[in-house]
Every structure is written in structure tokens, then in C-alpha cells.
Amino acid sequence: MTDQVAFGRREPKTRETSESAIAMVDELGEVVAWTQVAERLLGYSAREVVGGSAARVLPGSEDAPTTSAFVEQCRALNGWPGTTAVRHRNGSMLDINLRFSMVSGDSGSVRWILSMSDIGPVAGREMNASARQSLLVRAPIGISVRDPELRCTWVNDTMERHDGVSRDRRLGRRFSDALPGAKSEAVEAVMRQVIQTGTTTVHEYRAWLATGPLQDHTFAASFFSLQGADGRALAVCTVTVDVTETRRVRERLAVLGQAGTHLGGTLDVMQTSQELADLAVTLFADYASVDLEQSVPFGEGPPVHIDPMNERLPSFRRAGVASIHHGAPESAWGRGEPVPVPSVSPIADVVHTGTSHLEPIVDTAPGTWIDEDPVRAQKIHESGMHSLMVVPIRTRRALLGVALFIRTGNPAPFQEDDLALAEELVGRAALALDNARQYTREHSVALALQRHLLPHRLRGGLAVDAASRYLPADMDHGVGGDLHDVIPLSGARVALVVGDVVGHGINAAATMGRLRTAVHTLADMDLPPGELLAHLDDTVQRLAEEDADALDEAPAVVGATCVYAVYDPVTRRCTMAAAGHPPPAIVDPQGHVTFPELPTGTPLGIGLGGPFEAVEFDLPEGSLIALYSDGLIETRDNDLDVGMRRLGVALAEPGRSLEDLCTGAMDTLPGHGPRDDATLLVVRTRSLGPARIATWTLPNDETAAGTARQLAARRLAEWGVEHLEDSTKIIVSELITNAARHSDGPIQLRLIQHQVLTCEVSDTDLCSPRLRRARTIDEHGRGLSLVAHLSRRWGFRSIPNGKIVWAEQDLVG
């Protein structure tokens, strides 16, 4: 670096351009030098114009006594620079952009550099933006002319402002003499090439002016070969323009392009905030922090609106921090920690107004806002923070957070263009953060929906041990259209269900939720599997019609498949039916796997109707029943049989825990997750021994109720639950009396001690019992009311050739 100027380390990019035509004119209007580009533009060779009047190509110049007067005339008529007409050699007129620049030589002599650019053809070509700007706009340009020995003979005043070299020091000297120590040889090599070839060359270079602000400048220099009448090179003309702002625009566009690549690659607000901080430190800051309004990372609560009248400050949480120093010692708070905001501070002002704050030089004098924030004040003094910017992170009028940018090592203060860049960068990040915030909120809703729809725990009672796995195809939201559940039924039985709604994602999950509610309602009615699926089919069709009515459209086909099984631990019998669903896997205690021949049935809700046939079979205690959705067994490359065999192999280890079996079965899925929701429900059957069950067959006469009371009391004593004797006697008496009154066959009484005490009375009557309010004058009709009052719940279910009425009581009173 010299006293005046130092070139950047990067060598200038040199290229040829033919955009502008250059000529030199003396004060009397005589053309003293010409260029090849001028010949191509106007058709005149140097031999034809050099030594003659410029009026040959500039109509109207002959009316002015001097070139200076003509220039003033152009300024008055056209502004400066201006558009005018020049004469082509063929007699036609060309519209051009015209600019005169005065240069001075020894003893106060004056010359004029005339630059011309064709408005028409030039506009359609690929041009050098910097050179075009230098000749066609009002920006000050530096001009120097050097003889074949590269000694400066003419120069304008602007050149001194560009490189700090005065006219007196420049005139008569070579470039390397005026700027010793600079990379002037490369520039002089370009000048020699231009003189030798007659071409026009443009290159850019960066320099730091020691006489100006500590800031680098970018210059575009154009070199023109000036020819005499004989066509030989007389001199080289250098036209230089400061294109620092143009470079900054390009850099800003590059930054924004880089931001678009790096920001918002994920839908995680914390990661996006960290990406913003990292990018800012890489580009223009020494330290950056991103603090989000505390509800944003969790997707909870309404957005905070910018309101200058609201004095209450929202709470913030640090989401991103970056620094040029390892460990970011400038930060008093780590990621995820709450960040306090003093009511008197630039951050508070930004939050209230929604506008950015630029503090080129941080004022640390007593009485400033720093006094109200001792924690930040300490960090400012320790790290040497001297310049800061605070930018709100906002979308529309919603405030997502604030971004803080600091300089410590870089001595240059932030300027307005730095703030503009920071605002543009934060604006890009705000869009990504808003998308991530909305996704977080939707994801939270989806997870809440999942928690509501799927069973919190599987209650198999004493009938089965159960475990399950669920892997949605819609991994973004974590929910889908698969249903699985274990539903306790009367008499210690359990229902096992797996369903699969067409599609996946939140909409399918919502449909699945309504389907699950319908299954529970029908299961509470103790319907047998085939009959339950028939009612479920009607329900799905009705839901589709209701949705179509709401949307004023034709009914949509809402398909679903389902398998429903009921296991009775008393008899160890399992009854199941399917609606378009693959059959369960049955694994006996020895590990032998079978898939029962279960009638497939038609899917639910497609309107085909038809009965759903059920099958019934006995299961040894300790057998496994595995219900699953086709997403677990179906792949793009193999059919269902291959997937069923793969699942069977994974389940053929009955000695393993149910959790391990579920994990092993899900691990058999091909990589990258399922293409459809995958669900697995595995249960291990148990049985209730004779010690927990008491069954009696009673005659259908007036002695049945009394006998039943005695038998029940005796068995309750054996089970050690005598405290239930009085209530049980009443329940038994009422149910037996109703059975004797409404049926003519034998009556069966069964007591089951499991998690509750169940009393079941079966008879041959097919009519359903009804609970009704008896009037004062009625002699009958109060029995079921007493049963309902004394039991935790009661009900009935159909059996072949009759029905069972049951009532449950808690074992612990």
C-alpha cells in the first residue's frame, strides 16, 4: 500500500468492449485524435476526421466559436449528458448518447474528450454495465491521456479524487512513477497492449484510499487507443469511474441469493434462526444474535402485533447466536434461554415501532440506555462493541423477534447500506421463520390430534397383554389414517380392532377419529363382529354423504378397511370378521404361524353392502394375535404374500416380549419408511381359570331367584368379597326374575371375578330389556332401575337362541 492508493489482491478482470466511441477535440473544435470504435460507429476513418472540424460529425458545432461554448450549448439544450444526432459518413443521422469531458495539460492548455454511444444497436447487445454507466450518467469520471511512452499528458480533476494523485504530480510521469509500489505494471501492460492493437479494453480493480474513509472502492477503467491522421496510435486514453455502489448492489444480490440457499432449508425455527446468525457473521457482522418471541419456537399462542401504544414488552428467547470468536463470548444468554429486554433500550424501541435501529457508534457515556442494562453494558465493554444494528423480524404486523448485529473486530462502523442489507437478509429469514412457525403450530395441532385419536394405553385386562406400533407415512405431521385399539367388553372379554382409512395425513386422521368413535359406540352395544362391521359400513357411508352435503358436491368415495375380533378369556375363543382387510397372524405357543382363512369382505363405505362373515376358533393360552394394516406388509416391489411371510418370520418367537416383537416386525419394513401408514397390534392371550368363574343352570320357576341368591352369596364368601353380597343378591334376584317372566327355557347364572365382579344371566328370550321409569301405581318395572343403581355399568348382548343381561360391580367398594 502506498501513501495514496493500494490495489486489491485480486487481479483485475480484463475484457474487450466496443461500446463507446472516443474522440479528442481541441478548444477550437478541431479533432486531434480518433478511435477504431468511432470509425465503426460513424464510418469515418482517422485520416478523414483528424485535423478537421468536429462539425463534420456534430451538426451545430460550427455555430459555436469554441468547443467550450458548444458544450455549454449542449448542456442548455439537452441537459448533461444528453442525447443528440450525429452525421454518419453515408449521410444518415444517428441518435447517440453524447458526453464531453474537459482535460487539462501543461500551462493550462485544454482538450475535450468526446464519448459517443449508439442508442439503438448498443441497447440490444450484451454490454459492460460499468463502462456504460461511466459514459452515460452523471457520475463523475476520471480521465487521463498518456503518450506512447505512457507519460501523462492530459488529465481531468476527477482523477485526483479517485486515486489521490494531484495533477502536477501526474503530468509528465508514468503511472508507475506516480504510484510507486502499486501493482502498476499490470495496468501499464494493459495500456501497451491497447496502443499496439488499437483495441478498447475494460477492467475493474479495487483500491483503498488512504486520504478518504477507511473503505474500499471499486473502479472500472476503460482504455482507448487514440489514433492520429495516419492511423497510428498517438496516445492511450483511460476513463475511470467509481463503481463501488454498483459492486455493492451486486454483492447484495449475491448475499440475497446465498441467503435464499441457506435460509429456510428446514421447518425448524431454532435452526433457521441459527442460520440467520451464522450468515450475518459470515457476511457483515462480527457478532449476531436472534431472539424470538417466546411463543414462536413452540407454535403456541396468538402472534404478537406491533403496537406503539402498547407499553408491555413481549418475552423473548434466544434462538440463534454467532460470533467471529469461538464460543460467542459476547452473548450473555445461550440458545433456548429467556432474554430480558429493558424498557429503555434500542431493542425496546424496535419492538414498539417495528422499525430498525442503526447506531454507527455506540455511545457508552453515562446517562445512555446502557446504564439501564448492566449485563449488556459489561459485554459491550469487554468485547469492544462499537457499532450495532437492531432489526425487527416481522411479517405484516406480527412480530416474530429481533436480530442484533454488532461489530467488534472490524473498525468500520455500520452504515446505511449495511442496514439495508441486514433488513433484506432478515426479511428473507422472516418468511422462512413464519413458514416454520405456522408449520410448528400445525404440527402441534397434528400431534394433539394424534394423542386424542390413538389410545393412550392398551387395556387388555386379564384377557390379553397388548403392545402396538404405529408409523405414519406422513412423517411431517406424525399422523395418518390407521386405527388400532383394544376395547374392554363385558364378561372379561376384549375387542381387538385395526382399521385403515384411504389416504394418510391430517384429513385421513380426522376421518379415522370419527371411525374410532363409531367403533367404540358399536362395541359398547356388544354387537358380534360381523354385525358390528355392517353397522360401521353404514356409518362410513353416512359420514361421506354428510361431508359431500357440507361441500355441496357429489358424495365422495371414502373407503376404509377394518378387522374386528373379540376374544373371550373364559372360553379362550376368538371371533373375528374383516372388511377388505388382510387376516390377522396367529402364533401358537410353540411359534407356529398361521393366517386364518378369514372372509375378506368388502371395504367400508364404498356402498357395495353385503354381509360380513365371522369365523370362530379356539386359542391356547399364550397364543399371539397380530392385527396390522397393509402398510406393514405391502411394498412397491413385492405383493402382500411376501410381506405376510416376512411378518410371520418376525413374530415366530413367542418367547420374546411383545415390545420386542413389535420392534422387530417394524424393522422389517424397507428403508425410507412406509409408503402407507403402518400399524401393528400384538396381543398375547390369557385365560381365566375355573377358580374365577362360577356357572349355574336354574329352572325357570318361582324358586330360581331364591336359589340364585344363595348360590351367589356362597361363592362371594369363597372369593372373599362378602361386602358385595347384599348388592349382588339384589342384582341376581332382579335379573333372574326378569328372565323367568319373559322366557320359558332354562336360565343360566354366571359370576366372573376379574378386574370387576360380573354377574351374567342368560335366557332364551330374544327381546332386549329396557330401562324405564315406573309410575307409582305400577307393580313392575323397577328391577333394571335397581340394577343400574347398584352396578358400575350394565347391558346385554345377543347369543344364539337368546340373550345375556350383565351387570358389573367394582371389587373395591
Side-chain angles (χ1 to χ4, degrees):
M1 180 178 293
T2 66
D3 293 337
Q4 283 79 25
V5 62
F7 291 94
R9 293 182 179 179
R10 180 178 298 176
E11 292 295 333
K13 291 184 178 180
T14 303
R15 56 195 178 278
E16 184 176 337
T17 180
S18 58
E19 178 186 348
S20 298
I22 296 292
M24 177 180 279
V25 181
D26 65 14
E27 175 62 8
L28 298 178
E30 180 180 313
V31 177
V32 296
W34 198 244
T35 60
Q36 291 182 0
V37 181
E39 181 177 351
R40 288 195 296 269
L41 177 64
L42 301 180
Y44 294 100
S45 66
R47 185 183 302 275
E48 294 174 292
V49 293
V50 173
S53 172
R56 188 170 191 174
V57 294
L58 292 176
S61 61
E62 68 273 11
D63 298 332
T66 64
T67 303
S68 297
F70 178 69
V71 170
E72 291 301 323
Q73 174 183 315
C74 290
R75 286 174 175 168
L77 293 176
N78 302 322
W80 191 257
T83 301
T84 190
V86 296
R87 183 179 293 110
H88 193 273
R89 190 175 185 277
N90 61 17
S92 64
M93 302 300 293
L94 294 178
D95 290 329
I96 65 167
N97 286 300
L98 174 68
R99 180 165 186 167
F100 278 96
S101 299
M102 187 178 70
V103 292
S104 303
D106 290 331
S107 303
S109 56
V110 173
R111 293 285 186 272
W112 292 88
I113 300 296
L114 169 64
S115 61
M116 299 170 286
S117 296
D118 190 356
I119 296 176
V122 171
R125 299 192 203 112
E126 180 180 356
M127 301 174 299
N128 176 267
S130 300
R132 181 173 175 80
Q133 183 181 34
S134 71
L135 298 175
L136 303 182
V137 300
R138 298 174 183 271
I141 60 174
I143 299 178
S144 64
V145 178
R146 298 180 181 275
D147 63 19
E149 301 300 323
L150 304 185
R151 294 179 297 245
C152 183
T153 55
W154 305 93
V155 66
N156 71 347
D157 295 336
T158 305
M159 282 300 297
E160 182 175 355
R161 296 200 298 270
H162 282 184
D163 57 19
V165 180
S166 65
R167 177 188 290 104
D168 293 339
R169 184 178 173 186
R170 190 189 308 273
L171 288 174
R173 292 184 175 86
R174 291 176 46 180
F175 187 65
S176 56
D177 295 334
L179 295 173
K183 294 183 178 180
S184 54
E185 288 132 6
V187 176
E188 289 186 340
V190 174
M191 294 178 184
R192 292 190 186 96
Q193 181 182 10
V194 169
I195 290 177
Q196 293 171 1
T197 62
T199 59
T200 300
T201 301
V202 176
H203 72 252
E204 286 187 9
Y205 63 91
R206 297 178 70 171
W208 286 262
L209 300 183
T211 56
L214 187 58
Q215 187 178 23
D216 66 303
H217 287 253
T218 300
F219 296 95
S222 301
F223 298 90
F224 303 89
S225 176
L226 297 179
Q227 299 173 341
D230 58 0
R232 295 182 181 180
L234 294 177
V236 56
C237 176
T238 302
V239 178
T240 305
V241 64
D242 188 338
V243 293
T244 303
E245 290 302 320
T246 303
R247 172 181 62 84
R248 288 175 178 170
V249 170
R250 293 199 305 265
E251 290 177 348
R252 184 172 300 166
L253 292 175
V255 166
L256 295 179
Q258 187 178 5
T261 302
H262 288 79
L263 289 175
T266 69
L267 291 174
D268 186 312
V269 294
M270 297 294 286
Q271 183 170 341
T272 301
S273 299
Q274 186 59 46
E275 290 170 353
L276 171 59
D278 291 338
L279 191 56
V281 168
T282 302
L283 297 173
F284 58 84
D286 296 332
Y287 165 76
S289 64
V290 179
D291 299 331
L292 297 181
E293 193 274 322
Q294 65 175 359
S295 69
V296 174
F298 307 106
E300 300 174 352
V304 173
H305 294 286
I306 298 172
D307 184 1
M309 304 303 295
N310 186 4
E311 297 182 358
R312 183 177 180 182
L313 288 169
S315 299
F316 292 92
R317 192 172 297 272
R318 181 133 299 172
V321 60
S323 170
I324 60 174
H325 302 107
H326 179 70
E330 303 94 333
S331 179
W333 300 276
R335 294 185 69 202
E337 294 182 352
V339 178
V341 176
S343 58
V344 179
S345 67
I347 300 175
D349 294 340
V350 168
V351 171
H352 286 313
T353 63
T355 58
S356 301
H357 173 84
L358 170 63
E359 197 165 334
I361 300 176
V362 177
D363 187 0
T364 59
T368 60
W369 65 269
I370 295 180
D371 293 341
E372 305 295 329
D373 194 350
V375 175
R376 287 185 174 89
Q378 180 180 357
K379 291 296 182 180
I380 289 174
H381 292 298
E382 290 177 352
S383 61
M385 299 181 186
H386 64 85
S387 186
L388 68 81
M389 298 185 295
V390 185
V391 179
I393 306 173
R394 54 181 296 183
T395 57
R396 298 174 293 276
R397 290 190 61 81
L399 179 70
L400 303 181
V402 292
L404 176 68
F405 306 107
I406 297 289
R407 277 185 177 168
T408 56
N410 185 348
F414 285 125
Q415 301 179 16
E416 289 292 340
D417 57 345
D418 296 310
L419 180 61
L421 177 58
E423 289 177 332
E424 292 174 357
L425 184 63
V426 171
R428 296 275 182 115
L431 293 176
L433 285 169
D434 191 45
N435 290 335
R437 178 181 66 89
Q438 294 185 37
Y439 166 79
T440 301
R441 296 189 65 173
E442 293 174 0
H443 186 58
S444 299
V445 171
L447 291 180
L449 178 65
Q450 180 189 44
R451 288 192 297 268
H452 175 72
L453 296 180
L454 297 179
H456 297 170
R457 61 186 181 91
L458 301 175
R459 299 182 299 159
L462 298 182
V464 296
D465 296 320
S468 66
R469 289 292 186 277
Y470 174 59
L471 183 61
D474 187 358
M475 295 302 294
D476 287 338
H477 293 93
V479 294
D482 278 7
L483 157 71
H484 71 277
D485 211 344
V486 178
I487 306 172
L489 302 177
S490 63
R493 299 168 306 135
V494 292
L496 313 174
V497 59
V498 165
D500 184 0
V501 175
V502 171
H504 47 78
I506 294 180
N507 292 333
T511 302
M512 181 269 286
R514 296 196 288 181
L515 186 63
R516 180 172 182 259
T517 300
V519 170
H520 274 260
T521 300
L522 296 171
D524 286 342
M525 297 172 62
D526 261 331
L527 297 176
E531 188 176 345
L532 181 141
L533 291 180
H535 284 282
L536 197 59
D537 184 26
D538 294 337
T539 300
V540 174
Q541 290 186 55
R542 186 176 67 254
L543 292 176
E545 292 171 356
E546 291 175 354
D547 291 343
D549 290 340
L551 298 174
D552 195 21
E553 297 177 354
V557 177
V558 179
T561 65
C562 184
V563 60
Y564 184 84
V566 175
Y567 173 70
D568 188 344
V570 176
T571 63
R572 299 197 312 277
R573 294 187 67 78
C574 184
T575 306
M576 63 179 61
H581 204 87
I586 307 297
V587 186
D588 65 20
Q590 289 72 43
H592 180 63
V593 182
T594 59
F595 291 88
E597 295 183 2
L598 183 65
T600 304
T602 59
L604 303 172
I606 63 176
L608 296 181
F612 297 94
E613 299 181 25
V615 297
E616 189 175 51
F617 44 87
D618 295 328
L619 292 176
E621 183 175 7
S623 298
L624 294 178
I625 307 175
L627 286 71
Y628 52 90
S629 63
D630 58 6
L632 184 61
I633 60 173
E634 186 178 18
T635 64
R636 293 181 176 86
D637 302 325
N638 299 305
D639 56 22
L640 296 181
D641 291 338
V642 174
M644 291 168 68
R645 287 194 296 270
R646 186 179 68 246
L647 175 60
V649 171
L651 295 174
E653 300 182 56
R656 300 179 66 187
S657 70
L658 295 181
E659 294 292 338
D660 289 344
L661 287 174
C662 286
T663 300
M666 299 301 285
D667 287 345
T668 64
L669 282 169
H672 309 295
R675 65 174 182 177
D676 195 6
D677 305 320
T679 295
L680 176 64
L681 172 63
V682 179
V683 301
R684 179 175 285 120
T685 64
R686 303 165 71 176
S687 64
L688 294 179
R692 291 179 175 270
I693 305 168
T695 305
W696 303 277
T697 302
L698 305 171
N700 192 340
D701 57 27
E702 66 276 1
T703 65
T707 303
R709 287 193 296 270
Q710 295 174 8
L711 294 172
R714 189 178 304 123
R715 183 49 62 97
L716 293 182
E718 294 175 4
W719 285 343
V721 288
E722 296 91 340
H723 61 281
L724 297 178
E725 179 179 337
D726 292 341
S727 58
T728 303
K729 283 181 177 181
I730 297 174
I731 292 172
V732 167
S733 180
E734 295 297 334
L735 295 183
I736 293 293
T737 299
N738 284 343
R741 179 178 297 118
H742 297 290
S743 67
D744 54 10
I747 301 171
Q748 187 180 77
L749 170 64
R750 183 166 71 172
L751 298 180
I752 305 172
Q753 182 197 24
H754 50 115
Q755 292 177 313
V756 295
L757 176 65
T758 300
C759 173
E760 295 183 343
V761 175
S762 60
D763 58 45
T764 58
D765 182 30
L766 298 177
C767 295
S768 303
R770 280 184 191 173
L771 184 66
R772 62 187 179 89
R773 182 182 299 275
R775 295 174 297 177
T776 305
I777 61 175
D778 291 338
E779 296 182 6
H780 305 288
R782 298 178 178 84
L784 287 180
S785 295
L786 284 173
V787 172
H789 177 72
L790 295 172
S791 60
R792 65 192 297 269
R793 64 174 189 153
W794 74 278
F796 66 93
R797 65 179 182 271
S798 299
I799 58 174
N801 303 318
K803 67 177 183 300
I804 294 176
V805 183
W806 53 268
E808 293 178 351
Q809 299 178 82
D810 291 320
L811 292 174
V812 178

